Amino acid sequence: MTSLSVVHKNRDESATDIVPRKTYFAGLKEFYVEPGYNVRDIDQAHVEEFRDAFILGEEVPALVVQVTEQGLKIIDGHHRYYGALLAIEAGHEVARLECKDAKGSEADRIALMVTSSQGRALLPLERAGAYQRLMNQGWTEAEIAKKVKRSVADIEHHLQLLEVGDTLIGMVRSGEVAATTAVSLSREHGTKAGAVAEEKMAEAKAAGKKKLTKAAAIPQFNAGKARRLVELMAAFEFSDDGYKAPDEIYLEAMGILAEYREKHGVPAPTITEGETLETKLPLLKEDIISQSGVTTWACAAAAFGDKAEFTFSESKYAHTWASDSLENPQVVVIQAETIHKAVELVAANTSTDGLRTWVNERYSDKLTREEMFERFSQVFQENRKDVSTVPEFLKLLEYTLSATWQNIRTLRAAVKSAINEFNAAGVPQ
């Protein structure tokens, strides 16, 4: 019987294409595990599967390691290593483990742990943690997506999972809530998402269920009634002075809205005595952002263009859309391209990615970059009422002296001074 080594040794280069690649065998005492390095949590059942494989003499893939002063640091193969230790405890001799060198940078090694086909499939929180480690090294979502062979949307979704709050993260970790449901709850309820999830989970357990589904967590409004509301609203006559509608149409529409509010826990707008709905709604861009949030402004800008002031009808439309759902509105019908534009506006005006890129271009030292990014981010957040977007904040910084950036107190003072200077004409565009 021949072998690959024999074929390679006697190869006819014009007829064969066989290239050797070296692996090594090292005793178990040569390997070590760096605490917290593996993106996967250790799954005992998976470890026991490898233990049985070693005992039965089955072939186990080589570990991927990095040679350090401490020994052979395991990059990929933690479960195989622990499986070998269990096999030894069970009385089976495992003299050495096959291993090979990890190639590339630290980012390459993290990507290897994410994409490895030998390890247990990553749980959503593990994958999110790995993506965050790459983000902390200055990688963009697009670069990470290319590195780990996933879509940009997948990267963004997993990173959003890390921002849903401790309560929801704990429920995802325990398996009570799916990662996608946790993100949807966070988008729907913001900081109250954890409390809502616990309440809905209690209802699910009372009904004998062990997991909170998305349908139970975020009940969807009846599609037929949503369509009927659109039909009714088409009969309304809107103007900057308000709206008019026949009594029977008005009452039916208000009935559907009341049912929606009750089902989704949306409070009706409160109007004080002597105040009209028109005076209650902000119309200026800066007022919409400061009073109702970036999402409401993004809805208005996506539908009617980015401008300094909106009409009452435009503002009302945007507030209705934003209070329903940005990406999946049920009460109002929004074109897909308009929704996409609003989502992009929200991302562009709430993300600090542009600020990180700006900082990374100006500072080469990693520690300095992190300190400056944290300092700029804090001052940006403190002045969101006056400077709502990162691009506006960066333009504002151009009017300050770089010497004031080294201390947060002097940076705050310089930014406030620049805001006051341009207050009459607005932040420079």
mmCIF file of all heavy atoms in Angstrom, residues 379-380 382-388 392-393 396-397 399-400 411-428:
data_model
loop_
_atom_site.group_PDB
_atom_site.id
_atom_site.type_symbol
_atom_site.label_atom_id
_atom_site.label_comp_id
_atom_site.label_asym_id
_atom_site.label_seq_id
_atom_site.Cartn_x
_atom_site.Cartn_y
_atom_site.Cartn_z
ATOM 1 N N VAL A 379 -17.730 64.079 25.768
ATOM 2 C CA VAL A 379 -18.105 65.474 25.525
ATOM 3 C C VAL A 379 -19.169 65.563 24.431
ATOM 4 O O VAL A 379 -20.091 66.391 24.497
ATOM 5 C CB VAL A 379 -16.856 66.303 25.154
ATOM 6 C CG1 VAL A 379 -17.249 67.733 24.771
ATOM 7 C CG2 VAL A 379 -15.870 66.328 26.331
ATOM 8 N N PHE A 380 -19.072 64.688 23.419
ATOM 9 C CA PHE A 380 -20.092 64.648 22.366
ATOM 10 C C PHE A 380 -21.460 64.317 22.952
ATOM 11 O O PHE A 380 -22.459 64.987 22.664
ATOM 12 C CB PHE A 380 -19.693 63.623 21.307
ATOM 13 C CG PHE A 380 -20.788 63.304 20.322
ATOM 14 C CD1 PHE A 380 -21.373 64.296 19.552
ATOM 15 C CD2 PHE A 380 -21.253 62.003 20.180
ATOM 16 C CE1 PHE A 380 -22.387 63.999 18.649
ATOM 17 C CE2 PHE A 380 -22.263 61.699 19.289
ATOM 18 C CZ PHE A 380 -22.829 62.704 18.522
ATOM 19 N N GLU A 382 -22.471 64.714 25.998
ATOM 20 C CA GLU A 382 -22.911 65.787 26.886
ATOM 21 C C GLU A 382 -23.546 66.947 26.117
ATOM 22 O O GLU A 382 -24.348 67.705 26.678
ATOM 23 C CB GLU A 382 -21.720 66.315 27.703
ATOM 24 C CG GLU A 382 -21.196 65.315 28.727
ATOM 25 C CD GLU A 382 -19.898 65.798 29.374
ATOM 26 O OE1 GLU A 382 -19.395 66.865 28.972
ATOM 27 O OE2 GLU A 382 -19.391 65.092 30.271
ATOM 28 N N ASN A 383 -23.197 67.083 24.831
ATOM 29 C CA ASN A 383 -23.670 68.229 24.041
ATOM 30 C C ASN A 383 -24.604 67.817 22.917
ATOM 31 O O ASN A 383 -24.762 68.558 21.939
ATOM 32 C CB ASN A 383 -22.468 68.994 23.465
ATOM 33 C CG ASN A 383 -21.660 69.699 24.537
ATOM 34 O OD1 ASN A 383 -22.005 70.799 24.960
ATOM 35 N ND2 ASN A 383 -20.581 69.067 24.977
ATOM 36 N N ARG A 384 -25.264 66.635 23.053
ATOM 37 C CA ARG A 384 -26.130 66.145 21.988
ATOM 38 C C ARG A 384 -27.307 67.080 21.712
ATOM 39 O O ARG A 384 -27.838 67.113 20.606
ATOM 40 C CB ARG A 384 -26.664 64.754 22.341
ATOM 41 C CG ARG A 384 -25.632 63.645 22.241
ATOM 42 C CD ARG A 384 -25.142 63.466 20.822
ATOM 43 N NE ARG A 384 -26.162 62.972 19.935
ATOM 44 C CZ ARG A 384 -26.439 61.691 19.751
ATOM 45 N NH1 ARG A 384 -25.748 60.778 20.418
ATOM 46 N NH2 ARG A 384 -27.384 61.314 18.924
ATOM 47 N N LYS A 385 -27.725 67.840 22.706
ATOM 48 C CA LYS A 385 -28.848 68.757 22.487
ATOM 49 C C LYS A 385 -28.474 69.837 21.484
ATOM 50 O O LYS A 385 -29.301 70.286 20.679
ATOM 51 C CB LYS A 385 -29.283 69.386 23.807
ATOM 52 C CG LYS A 385 -30.495 70.293 23.684
ATOM 53 C CD LYS A 385 -30.939 70.830 25.025
ATOM 54 C CE LYS A 385 -32.151 71.738 24.881
ATOM 55 N NZ LYS A 385 -32.611 72.281 26.181
ATOM 56 N N ASP A 386 -27.212 70.287 21.510
ATOM 57 C CA ASP A 386 -26.758 71.343 20.614
ATOM 58 C C ASP A 386 -26.087 70.794 19.365
ATOM 59 O O ASP A 386 -26.141 71.411 18.305
ATOM 60 C CB ASP A 386 -25.780 72.264 21.354
ATOM 61 C CG ASP A 386 -26.443 72.960 22.537
ATOM 62 O OD1 ASP A 386 -27.402 73.703 22.307
ATOM 63 O OD2 ASP A 386 -26.002 72.741 23.679
ATOM 64 N N VAL A 387 -25.421 69.638 19.492
ATOM 65 C CA VAL A 387 -24.710 69.029 18.367
ATOM 66 C C VAL A 387 -25.188 67.583 18.269
ATOM 67 O O VAL A 387 -24.740 66.730 19.018
ATOM 68 C CB VAL A 387 -23.181 69.071 18.576
ATOM 69 C CG1 VAL A 387 -22.464 68.595 17.329
ATOM 70 C CG2 VAL A 387 -22.722 70.469 18.951
ATOM 71 N N SER A 388 -26.106 67.320 17.356
ATOM 72 C CA SER A 388 -26.799 66.032 17.356
ATOM 73 C C SER A 388 -26.068 64.919 16.616
ATOM 74 O O SER A 388 -26.368 63.746 16.811
ATOM 75 C CB SER A 388 -28.200 66.194 16.745
ATOM 76 O OG SER A 388 -28.100 66.683 15.412
ATOM 77 N N GLU A 392 -21.253 66.858 12.719
ATOM 78 C CA GLU A 392 -21.364 68.230 13.231
ATOM 79 C C GLU A 392 -20.369 68.464 14.361
ATOM 80 O O GLU A 392 -19.741 69.525 14.455
ATOM 81 C CB GLU A 392 -22.792 68.485 13.730
ATOM 82 C CG GLU A 392 -23.810 68.628 12.619
ATOM 83 C CD GLU A 392 -25.214 68.837 13.161
ATOM 84 O OE1 GLU A 392 -25.417 68.635 14.381
ATOM 85 O OE2 GLU A 392 -26.109 69.200 12.387
ATOM 86 N N PHE A 393 -20.210 67.460 15.226
ATOM 87 C CA PHE A 393 -19.276 67.580 16.346
ATOM 88 C C PHE A 393 -17.840 67.713 15.849
ATOM 89 O O PHE A 393 -17.051 68.518 16.363
ATOM 90 C CB PHE A 393 -19.414 66.363 17.266
ATOM 91 C CG PHE A 393 -18.503 66.390 18.464
ATOM 92 C CD1 PHE A 393 -18.691 67.319 19.486
ATOM 93 C CD2 PHE A 393 -17.457 65.484 18.581
ATOM 94 C CE1 PHE A 393 -17.854 67.346 20.595
ATOM 95 C CE2 PHE A 393 -16.618 65.499 19.692
ATOM 96 C CZ PHE A 393 -16.820 66.438 20.704
ATOM 97 N N LEU A 396 -17.241 71.076 14.537
ATOM 98 C CA LEU A 396 -17.130 72.005 15.657
ATOM 99 C C LEU A 396 -15.719 71.960 16.251
ATOM 100 O O LEU A 396 -15.156 72.991 16.633
ATOM 101 C CB LEU A 396 -18.167 71.638 16.728
ATOM 102 C CG LEU A 396 -18.431 72.677 17.818
ATOM 103 C CD1 LEU A 396 -19.133 73.899 17.235
ATOM 104 C CD2 LEU A 396 -19.278 72.071 18.927
ATOM 105 N N LEU A 397 -15.148 70.742 16.322
ATOM 106 C CA LEU A 397 -13.806 70.600 16.879
ATOM 107 C C LEU A 397 -12.760 71.369 16.067
ATOM 108 O O LEU A 397 -11.727 71.777 16.609
ATOM 109 C CB LEU A 397 -13.408 69.118 16.958
ATOM 110 C CG LEU A 397 -14.053 68.283 18.060
ATOM 111 C CD1 LEU A 397 -13.574 66.834 17.964
ATOM 112 C CD2 LEU A 397 -13.716 68.848 19.440
ATOM 113 N N TYR A 399 -12.915 74.213 15.102
ATOM 114 C CA TYR A 399 -12.881 75.604 15.562
ATOM 115 C C TYR A 399 -12.338 75.717 16.987
ATOM 116 O O TYR A 399 -12.407 76.767 17.596
ATOM 117 C CB TYR A 399 -14.287 76.204 15.475
ATOM 118 C CG TYR A 399 -14.741 76.414 14.055
ATOM 119 C CD1 TYR A 399 -15.345 75.378 13.347
ATOM 120 C CD2 TYR A 399 -14.526 77.622 13.404
ATOM 121 C CE1 TYR A 399 -15.747 75.552 12.033
ATOM 122 C CE2 TYR A 399 -14.925 77.799 12.082
ATOM 123 C CZ TYR A 399 -15.536 76.763 11.403
ATOM 124 O OH TYR A 399 -15.924 76.933 10.097
ATOM 125 N N THR A 400 -11.807 74.618 17.499
ATOM 126 C CA THR A 400 -11.170 74.645 18.824
ATOM 127 C C THR A 400 -9.685 74.390 18.659
ATOM 128 O O THR A 400 -9.237 73.854 17.637
ATOM 129 C CB THR A 400 -11.772 73.572 19.747
ATOM 130 O OG1 THR A 400 -11.481 72.267 19.206
ATOM 131 C CG2 THR A 400 -13.275 73.748 19.885
ATOM 132 N N LEU A 411 -11.454 70.719 27.223
ATOM 133 C CA LEU A 411 -12.182 70.323 26.021
ATOM 134 C C LEU A 411 -13.642 70.741 26.136
ATOM 135 O O LEU A 411 -14.220 71.293 25.188
ATOM 136 C CB LEU A 411 -12.082 68.810 25.809
ATOM 137 C CG LEU A 411 -12.893 68.241 24.634
ATOM 138 C CD1 LEU A 411 -12.447 68.856 23.318
ATOM 139 C CD2 LEU A 411 -12.763 66.718 24.586
ATOM 140 N N ARG A 412 -14.251 70.498 27.297
ATOM 141 C CA ARG A 412 -15.644 70.903 27.516
ATOM 142 C C ARG A 412 -15.807 72.413 27.308
ATOM 143 O O ARG A 412 -16.738 72.871 26.639
ATOM 144 C CB ARG A 412 -16.072 70.543 28.939
ATOM 145 C CG ARG A 412 -16.421 69.083 29.161
ATOM 146 C CD ARG A 412 -16.977 68.896 30.563
ATOM 147 N NE ARG A 412 -17.309 67.510 30.831
ATOM 148 C CZ ARG A 412 -16.852 66.827 31.868
ATOM 149 N NH1 ARG A 412 -16.039 67.393 32.743
ATOM 150 N NH2 ARG A 412 -17.218 65.570 32.057
ATOM 151 N N ALA A 413 -14.891 73.170 27.906
ATOM 152 C CA ALA A 413 -14.971 74.631 27.815
ATOM 153 C C ALA A 413 -14.815 75.096 26.371
ATOM 154 O O ALA A 413 -15.538 76.002 25.917
ATOM 155 C CB ALA A 413 -13.897 75.259 28.698
ATOM 156 N N ALA A 414 -13.881 74.475 25.643
ATOM 157 C CA ALA A 414 -13.637 74.870 24.253
ATOM 158 C C ALA A 414 -14.853 74.560 23.372
ATOM 159 O O ALA A 414 -15.242 75.358 22.520
ATOM 160 C CB ALA A 414 -12.398 74.157 23.717
ATOM 161 N N VAL A 415 -15.471 73.397 23.589
ATOM 162 C CA VAL A 415 -16.649 73.015 22.805
ATOM 163 C C VAL A 415 -17.815 73.935 23.121
ATOM 164 O O VAL A 415 -18.532 74.389 22.221
ATOM 165 C CB VAL A 415 -17.012 71.543 23.069
ATOM 166 C CG1 VAL A 415 -18.384 71.204 22.484
ATOM 167 C CG2 VAL A 415 -15.957 70.614 22.477
ATOM 168 N N LYS A 416 -18.031 74.223 24.400
ATOM 169 C CA LYS A 416 -19.120 75.124 24.792
ATOM 170 C C LYS A 416 -18.920 76.510 24.165
ATOM 171 O O LYS A 416 -19.872 77.139 23.695
ATOM 172 C CB LYS A 416 -19.169 75.250 26.320
ATOM 173 C CG LYS A 416 -19.756 74.048 27.032
ATOM 174 C CD LYS A 416 -21.242 73.893 26.726
ATOM 175 C CE LYS A 416 -21.839 72.748 27.524
ATOM 176 N NZ LYS A 416 -23.261 72.522 27.160
ATOM 177 N N SER A 417 -17.682 76.970 24.168
ATOM 178 C CA SER A 417 -17.380 78.271 23.591
ATOM 179 C C SER A 417 -17.684 78.280 22.094
ATOM 180 O O SER A 417 -18.245 79.242 21.567
ATOM 181 C CB SER A 417 -15.905 78.618 23.841
ATOM 182 O OG SER A 417 -15.567 79.835 23.216
ATOM 183 N N ALA A 418 -17.317 77.195 21.399
ATOM 184 C CA ALA A 418 -17.568 77.107 19.958
ATOM 185 C C ALA A 418 -19.064 77.048 19.675
ATOM 186 O O ALA A 418 -19.552 77.657 18.715
ATOM 187 C CB ALA A 418 -16.868 75.884 19.383
ATOM 188 N N ILE A 419 -19.808 76.320 20.519
ATOM 189 C CA ILE A 419 -21.262 76.240 20.349
ATOM 190 C C ILE A 419 -21.892 77.613 20.511
ATOM 191 O O ILE A 419 -22.738 78.038 19.720
ATOM 192 C CB ILE A 419 -21.868 75.238 21.352
ATOM 193 C CG1 ILE A 419 -21.474 73.803 20.990
ATOM 194 C CG2 ILE A 419 -23.390 75.361 21.380
ATOM 195 C CD1 ILE A 419 -21.886 72.766 22.003
ATOM 196 N N ASN A 420 -21.465 78.334 21.551
ATOM 197 C CA ASN A 420 -22.009 79.683 21.790
ATOM 198 C C ASN A 420 -21.677 80.618 20.642
ATOM 199 O O ASN A 420 -22.477 81.481 20.257
ATOM 200 C CB ASN A 420 -21.456 80.221 23.105
ATOM 201 C CG ASN A 420 -21.984 79.478 24.307
ATOM 202 O OD1 ASN A 420 -23.069 78.882 24.244
ATOM 203 N ND2 ASN A 420 -21.230 79.482 25.396
ATOM 204 N N GLU A 421 -20.454 80.464 20.103
ATOM 205 C CA GLU A 421 -20.012 81.332 19.012
ATOM 206 C C GLU A 421 -20.866 81.179 17.777
ATOM 207 O O GLU A 421 -21.152 82.140 17.068
ATOM 208 C CB GLU A 421 -18.540 81.044 18.681
ATOM 209 C CG GLU A 421 -17.961 81.943 17.608
ATOM 210 C CD GLU A 421 -16.500 81.653 17.349
ATOM 211 O OE1 GLU A 421 -15.884 80.901 18.153
ATOM 212 O OE2 GLU A 421 -15.964 82.145 16.347
ATOM 213 N N PHE A 422 -21.297 79.937 17.516
ATOM 214 C CA PHE A 422 -22.077 79.679 16.311
ATOM 215 C C PHE A 422 -23.561 79.507 16.602
ATOM 216 O O PHE A 422 -24.316 79.064 15.752
ATOM 217 C CB PHE A 422 -21.555 78.410 15.614
ATOM 218 C CG PHE A 422 -20.191 78.604 15.013
ATOM 219 C CD1 PHE A 422 -19.061 78.164 15.680
ATOM 220 C CD2 PHE A 422 -20.036 79.224 13.785
ATOM 221 C CE1 PHE A 422 -17.813 78.327 15.142
ATOM 222 C CE2 PHE A 422 -18.780 79.388 13.242
ATOM 223 C CZ PHE A 422 -17.663 78.947 13.914
ATOM 224 N N ASN A 423 -23.949 79.835 17.814
ATOM 225 C CA ASN A 423 -25.346 79.611 18.204
ATOM 226 C C ASN A 423 -26.330 80.388 17.337
ATOM 227 O O ASN A 423 -27.400 79.894 16.988
ATOM 228 C CB ASN A 423 -25.535 80.014 19.674
ATOM 229 C CG ASN A 423 -26.889 79.567 20.199
ATOM 230 O OD1 ASN A 423 -27.300 78.434 19.972
ATOM 231 N ND2 ASN A 423 -27.588 80.452 20.883
ATOM 232 N N ALA A 424 -25.966 81.605 16.967
ATOM 233 C CA ALA A 424 -26.881 82.422 16.189
ATOM 234 C C ALA A 424 -27.096 81.853 14.779
ATOM 235 O O ALA A 424 -28.218 81.832 14.259
ATOM 236 C CB ALA A 424 -26.340 83.852 16.093
ATOM 237 N N ALA A 425 -25.981 81.369 14.180
ATOM 238 C CA ALA A 425 -26.074 80.865 12.809
ATOM 239 C C ALA A 425 -26.216 79.369 12.735
ATOM 240 O O ALA A 425 -26.402 78.801 11.661
ATOM 241 C CB ALA A 425 -24.834 81.300 12.034
ATOM 242 N N GLY A 426 -26.110 78.665 13.875
ATOM 243 C CA GLY A 426 -26.153 77.203 13.885
ATOM 244 C C GLY A 426 -24.761 76.637 13.779
ATOM 245 O O GLY A 426 -23.809 77.312 13.404
ATOM 246 N N VAL A 427 -24.626 75.356 14.098
ATOM 247 C CA VAL A 427 -23.325 74.681 13.993
ATOM 248 C C VAL A 427 -22.882 74.703 12.566
ATOM 249 O O VAL A 427 -23.678 74.413 11.651
ATOM 250 C CB VAL A 427 -23.443 73.222 14.494
ATOM 251 C CG1 VAL A 427 -22.115 72.516 14.328
ATOM 252 C CG2 VAL A 427 -23.866 73.201 15.962
ATOM 253 N N PRO A 428 -21.647 75.073 12.267
ATOM 254 C CA PRO A 428 -21.170 75.180 10.877
ATOM 255 C C PRO A 428 -21.347 73.900 10.111
ATOM 256 O O PRO A 428 -21.041 72.832 10.602
ATOM 257 C CB PRO A 428 -19.674 75.538 11.035
ATOM 258 C CG PRO A 428 -19.328 75.082 12.427
ATOM 259 C CD PRO A 428 -20.561 75.275 13.245
#
